[in-house]
Every structure is written in structure tokens, then in C-alpha cells.
Amino acid sequence: MAEFKQLIITQKGQALMAKMIAGTGNVQFTKINVSDATYTDAQLPTLTALTGVKQTTSISRVIRTNSVAIQVEGAVTNTALTTGYYMRTIGLYALDPQEGEILYAVTIASVAGYMPPYNGLTVSGAFFKLVTTVSNSNNVTLNVDPGAVATIGDIQELNNKIADLQAYVGYTETDIVGIEADFAARTVKRIAGAVNRTAGAMFNDIQAFGGRRRCIVNNAGKVLAYYGEAGYTETGALLQAITISTTTYPVGEKVQVMVEQPKFYYKVVPLKLDKVVGGKGFHLRKARYYVSDTKRDGFKLHPAFISNNVKKNFIYMSAFEASLFDVSAGINLGNDEQIADFTPTTGDMLSSVANVRPMSGQVQDLTRAKTRILAQNRGTGWQQAYGATVAATQLLFAVEYASFNSQSAIGFGVSKTDDGVNNMAELTGGTSTLGNASGAITNANGFNVVSYRGEENFWMNIWSWVDGLNIYAYGEHSLYVADNGFADNISAAPYKDAGITIAKASGYISAFGYNEEFDWLFFPSETTGNSSVPVGDYLYQNNTASSWLVALLGGSWTHSSYGGAFCWLVSNSSTSRIRSVGGRLVYVPSEVA
């Protein structure tokens, strides 16, 4: 694939820009030439024409990107080529009112791309998207040759418009499943391929759902066994050696119980929006949510599978709430002993194993930042759960169950009377017998333990810190989101403004905030619902705080009908540590999709 450097405006092009500034000229771009000639960077400003021109194309599209820049598009194919060549230089031409056609700008390849001759069977082509400065884009004449080749951009734009229309009318493909949620009318119905399906086995043929499965993963990120296979264990260490290919993993090898989540694509179609008064974004009143295993026009890869702009085929979420692995003793602590060593790299580690009490900040300083350290101490790719990863589970649950009320759809979750002193979370592993299935189990203590396709207690039992979500309170209640480089109390890169205002009143969720770039988020913008509909979960907030705030998800043993898969608490500062708050592990592989 060819790679080109920055577009350089020639001296002739600069002279035309000067005429524009003086008000004596406009710019009309005429053509794009492709050459196999080699030039140096120093030669480009003085060029007046290209030698070795192999192909010429008319301008297919001109777009004003801002007040001083435009984007010029064109495309070439090899259908008329009898001899191949290397694309080394591209020239953009324009009309000067006094001098006629001039070479306006040039770019040279850092990696030349080969355009093969036409063999009568396979058509090859190249799409050019040239962005250049024009001083004042209002002085650009947007004339396009109607006979020019349609560019990939033209085709993609048309396909997106068709996809958007189809999304509004409705998909008929059986492998696209979706729901239509009318939050105002407080109803949810199945659409597309989800019609006539019920939650559970009928969704197993779609990998986004049926491909979710518990597995054991070592610190290096290697899956050693899946639920039901020989050697699978939820104890935190292999009980028998496992050989994969030529490598044998010995008894005692440390492993975490995780849920393998295959990548999927999604689409959100807003059907009714109300602008947030005095804030950012919209209240999403009615929308369609779609999930597909494969890339479709208008669908996006879910951000849970994109980390620092790198796409992933799988991610791994913890099957159980986090407990503590004591590095010095070499064991998983079973009863939330408050002795964590938070030293980066060499200190203790976050774990996901069965039959232990989830760790908390009862006495120890288990802030979100220090939970992050414990997760990262496990090795490269290990993090605590963050915004995009929990949103993936939220979306899949909602589509599969045609509901946002996880407590009514699957189970209430662990709920008990608080003693006001201790971490009262139930031991992990209550749903071990469910394996990869969803459901609720009454444990030995008589409490309701829930699981959504392998993720136990995604709601209730104990709150979980969620990373990558920073809330700027100060009466503004803005949300900043990141998928890497996690840090507290910042809005700077890699964090981005989600473009929504979180609801400024605590209450049951009645609408989610909407901004197109962050349409995958499920953060409430309004709280006038009840414990059943349209979502059934509660938002706890403190928007007037004079501080940054952090995010907690799910509820704990004390939260009764307030908790659930969409229950958020955004009222604590980053220095908070609480006996009812823990965390969850995530592993994001380094492999590229």
C-alpha cells in the first residue's frame, strides 16, 4: 500500500493563494496527475509540472473542511493500463486567472505503491484524498467534472445513506439482531433477526452472544482451557498440567477465570431526540440498537475492541468480582484481608477466581487508581474494567433480553441488610455450575447470585470501579472517556469529551444521553423513571461537587431495586475507598485484528 507525505504547496500555488487573499482570484481545482518520477522534498516548492506522468484523473469531489482548508478527491483505475508503474508523486492542479492551469501542490511517496497493468480480470485502483490549505475556503469553486470516476468516498457515502435508510426502515437479515427502545413510552420490542427469538439458546448462533465463554487465562494472556474442557479450574492455579502444541503449562500455573468475548459490530439509530437544555448532547427518547457479527454498511466495531486505535478480535472480561492475589505469600486471599501491596509492577495483583470474598476498601486504600495498579501488576494487557468493556456487556444484555431491567430479566442479585461495618459481599463462584449460561442461583447462604453469559454479579453484591470515565462536576457534569492511558481527574488526551451532560438529579433512569461519536454509552441524561421502566436502575450523582468524580457500576448488597446492569454512582471523588466497592479485571490482547 502506498504511503504519501504531507502535501506541499508550490510557489505557483502560493502566488495563487496571495491573489485570493488580495481578493483578485478564486481557486478551481482541475485534475490530479500521478507520476512515477522521483523528487526530493527540497524540489517540490519550485516544481511547475510533473515528469513521468502515467495517469490523470478529473476531480471527483471537493469538500470544505474548515475556513482555510479543503479536501480534494479523485480516483484512478488500471483498466486502460498496459504497463504497470510505481506511484511515487501526485500533483494537484488548479486554474490561475492570469496564468491558466498550474501545479498547485505536490506530495511524494514515503512508500511507493505499485499500480499493475490490467490483466482482463482484476481491476485495481487508487483513491486520493488530498487536504490542502487555500487561505479562505470560501474562495474555492466547487466545480466537479460529472464524468469523473466515482471515488471510494462517494461510494462509501452512498452506502452509508442506504444503510441509514435501511436502519430506519428495518433490517431483514436474520444475523442482525436488534431492539427498538421507546424510553418515552417505556416499551422495548425485538426487531430484525431478534424477532421470534427468546434469550438464551436461540441467540447462541450469533458469536457475539454464543461465542462468550468462560476460560482460564495465564498472566501472559494465553487461554489454557475453556469451561468444560480438561484442566479447566476456577481455583486460580492449574490442578493438572496442560499441553498446548509443544508447550506444557505445569501444575500451579497461575490462571484467571475470564469470559472470552468475540468482537462484534453495532449500530444505534436515534429515532427521537430532545436537546438537553442548558447542557450537552441529547436525551435519547427512542432508538434502535443493532448487533452483528460481521461488518455491515453503517455499522461500527464496538469500541470495546479498539484500544489506542488498535483493533482486537477478542477481549476477556472477569468471570468474577476482583479479589486479591498476595504476591509475597503466593496465594489468593479468601476473606478480603486488608493487606494489599499497591506497589506498581512488583506489588500484589487483582484476581478473578471462585470461592473468595471480593476485595474492598474497608480499611485499605482501594481507590480506583490503586485498583488500576493491582490490575496492571498482572502484566501487559491487564486492566480493570473500563467504560467500553462494560458498555459491550450492557448492549448485548439489552438486545438479547429486549430489556434494560437486568433484575427482572435474569435475577435480583445479592441483597441483604447491611451491618454498617463490614464488607458483606457474598463469595465468588456462586454461578460456577451455570458455566457460560445466564441465570440466577441461590447460594448456600440463601442469596440470589446472578450471571450474564459467564459474568457473575455484573450487578449487585459489590460496586465495581469503572476506569476510563472521568466526570467533571462543578455543576457541569461532563463526561470524559478514554480506552487507554487511564488516569484520574483529567480531560486531556487520550480522554475525549463524550459530548453529553449526565443527569443532575439522582433518580431512576428515564433517558440515556446521546452524542453520535459516543452512541455506545449508557449514561443517563434524565432520571424520571421508576424501579421497573423504562430502565429500572438508579443514578446516584453529586453534580455540584467542587471536584472531579469517578464512576461505579452495578450496586452492592444494600441497593435492592436501585441496582442493576445500568445503575451508576458518580458521586465519589478519585480518593474514595469504600467497604462496598471493589473492581473487575479485563484482559486486552496485544494481537491486532
Side-chain angles (χ1 to χ4, degrees):
M1 179 182 294
E3 296 180 8
F4 286 86
K5 298 181 180 180
Q6 181 179 358
L7 200 64
I8 301 299
I9 299 174
T10 65
Q11 291 176 358
K12 292 282 189 180
Q14 293 172 26
L16 180 53
M17 283 180 61
K19 294 175 184 178
M20 291 175 59
I21 294 171
T24 60
N26 288 341
V27 175
Q28 179 179 339
F29 293 101
T30 56
K31 66 183 180 184
I32 297 171
N33 278 356
V34 189
S35 165
D36 68 351
T38 299
Y39 297 98
T40 66
D41 291 330
Q43 290 177 294
L44 301 186
T46 59
L47 287 178
T48 58
L50 298 183
T51 61
V53 173
K54 298 300 181 181
Q55 288 187 287
T56 299
T57 181
S58 299
I59 304 302
S60 176
R61 180 158 60 172
V62 181
I63 303 170
R64 293 188 181 99
T65 60
N66 57 45
S67 62
V68 296
I70 52 92
Q71 177 176 295
V72 181
E73 297 180 6
V76 294
T77 69
N78 69 342
T79 53
L81 280 183
T82 57
T83 303
Y85 71 98
Y86 281 93
M87 296 181 290
R88 294 189 174 96
T89 306
I90 297 174
L92 175 62
Y93 288 75
L95 280 180
D96 183 294
Q98 282 76 46
E99 298 196 26
E101 191 173 61
I102 64 166
L103 179 59
Y104 183 87
V106 188
T107 179
I108 57 176
S110 54
V111 178
Y114 184 68
M115 179 66 76
Y118 184 52
N119 60 9
L121 297 173
T122 304
V123 176
S124 297
F127 167 47
F128 305 117
K129 183 185 290 185
L130 307 176
V131 178
T132 186
T133 301
V134 291
S135 181
N136 184 347
S137 64
N138 290 325
N139 288 349
V140 176
T141 302
L142 302 182
N143 289 343
V144 173
D145 181 355
V149 176
T151 68
I152 294 172
D154 295 328
I155 296 168
Q156 288 176 337
E157 183 177 12
L158 177 60
N159 285 342
N160 286 338
K161 288 180 179 178
I162 293 171
D164 285 342
L165 179 61
Q166 190 175 21
Y168 279 100
V169 174
Y171 294 98
T172 59
E173 292 89 342
T174 58
D175 59 344
I176 298 176
V177 290
I179 55 172
E180 182 178 289
D182 189 332
F183 297 104
R186 302 185 174 188
T187 61
V188 181
K189 67 177 183 180
R190 300 186 187 278
I191 56 176
V195 173
N196 296 323
R197 293 184 192 243
T198 56
M202 293 186 74
F203 277 80
N204 286 350
D205 63 317
I206 299 173
Q207 280 296 104
F209 302 92
R212 281 175 64 112
R213 48 185 180 163
R214 284 182 180 172
C215 57
I216 51 175
V217 181
N218 70 3
N219 288 354
K222 178 69 175 178
V223 176
L224 302 188
Y226 292 94
Y227 175 80
E229 293 183 346
Y232 176 86
T233 176
E234 297 182 349
T235 62
L238 293 186
L239 301 178
Q240 66 181 65
I242 295 177
T243 299
I244 301 175
S245 187
T246 59
T247 303
T248 297
Y249 300 90
V251 172
E253 175 91 4
K254 299 299 184 284
V255 289
Q256 306 310 305
V257 189
M258 307 299 287
V259 177
E260 183 178 80
Q261 173 65 65
K263 72 178 180 182
F264 64 87
Y265 299 84
Y266 80 104
K267 185 176 181 67
V268 178
V269 183
L271 300 177
K272 184 178 180 181
L273 297 167
D274 286 339
K275 186 73 179 72
V276 174
V277 177
K280 293 183 285 189
F282 297 86
H283 300 296
L284 188 58
R285 300 296 187 195
K286 186 176 182 181
R288 289 176 175 169
Y289 297 90
Y290 295 100
V291 169
S292 171
D293 283 339
T294 57
K295 180 75 170 72
R296 308 281 185 143
D297 288 329
F299 279 65
K300 297 182 282 189
L301 180 64
H302 194 279
F305 305 94
I306 306 171
S307 177
N308 197 18
N309 296 316
V310 178
K311 298 177 181 179
K312 311 293 181 179
N313 285 320
F314 298 93
I315 58 172
Y316 296 83
M317 285 94 86
S318 62
F320 306 118
E321 303 103 302
S323 54
L324 186 69
F325 179 77
D326 185 332
V327 169
S328 60
I331 59 171
N332 289 295
L333 300 182
N335 198 33
D336 188 26
E337 290 84 348
Q338 300 284 296
I339 57 172
D341 176 358
F342 296 108
T343 305
T345 307
T346 61
D348 293 340
M349 303 177 187
L350 219 57
S351 293
S352 174
V353 298
N355 299 313
V356 297
R357 195 172 309 282
M359 70 179 304
S360 76
Q362 181 169 343
V363 176
Q364 63 193 355
D365 195 23
L366 192 69
T367 63
R368 187 176 70 169
K370 290 189 176 178
T371 308
R372 182 186 307 135
I373 290 172
L374 296 177
Q376 294 173 346
N377 280 353
R378 192 157 288 284
T380 302
W382 293 94
Q383 299 285 353
Q384 65 179 322
Y386 56 94
T389 63
V390 301
T393 296
Q394 289 173 321
L395 176 60
L396 293 176
F397 161 77
V399 169
E400 182 175 2
Y401 281 85
S403 173
F404 291 88
N405 191 328
S406 57
Q407 289 185 309
S408 63
I410 294 179
F412 203 77
V414 174
S415 180
K416 61 176 72 171
T417 301
D418 187 31
D419 69 2
V421 177
N422 297 301
N423 171 6
M424 299 184 66
E426 289 294 297
L427 301 186
T428 60
T431 63
S432 290
T433 57
L434 286 178
N436 302 324
S438 301
I441 297 286
T442 301
N443 70 3
N445 294 327
F447 296 106
N448 186 261
V449 183
V450 294
S451 179
Y452 174 68
R453 288 191 175 266
E455 281 188 273
E456 182 175 287
N457 292 332
F458 189 75
W459 59 96
M460 301 293 284
N461 200 39
I462 193 168
W463 288 103
S464 291
W465 293 120
V466 181
D467 224 338
L469 303 170
N470 292 341
I471 297 96
Y472 183 81
Y474 297 94
E476 184 177 314
H477 232 201
S478 292
L479 176 64
Y480 294 87
V481 181
D483 62 23
N484 71 99
F486 303 123
D488 296 338
N489 307 337
I490 67 167
S491 59
Y495 283 80
K496 293 183 178 180
D497 187 346
I500 63 173
T501 296
I502 301 173
K504 295 182 179 180
S506 298
Y508 286 103
I509 300 166
S510 54
F512 291 115
Y514 178 83
N515 175 288
E516 185 174 2
E517 182 180 358
F518 292 92
D519 56 5
W520 50 271
L521 283 169
F522 291 98
F523 261 84
S525 61
E526 184 185 77
T527 51
T528 60
N530 61 44
S531 61
S532 299
V533 291
V535 176
D537 293 351
Y538 205 84
L539 169 72
Y540 297 87
Q541 58 78 43
N542 183 19
N543 78 91
T544 59
S546 297
S547 66
W548 284 87
L549 304 173
V550 291
L552 296 164
L553 181 66
S556 73
W557 64 84
T558 67
H559 287 87
S560 186
S561 63
Y562 296 94
F566 300 86
C567 173
W568 290 101
L569 188 154
V570 292
S571 58
N572 292 92
S573 72
S574 60
T575 59
S576 298
R577 56 100 181 149
I578 310 169
R579 63 187 173 88
S580 59
V581 176
R584 299 187 77 98
L585 264 179
V586 164
Y587 176 69
V588 180
S590 58
E591 290 84 356
V592 179

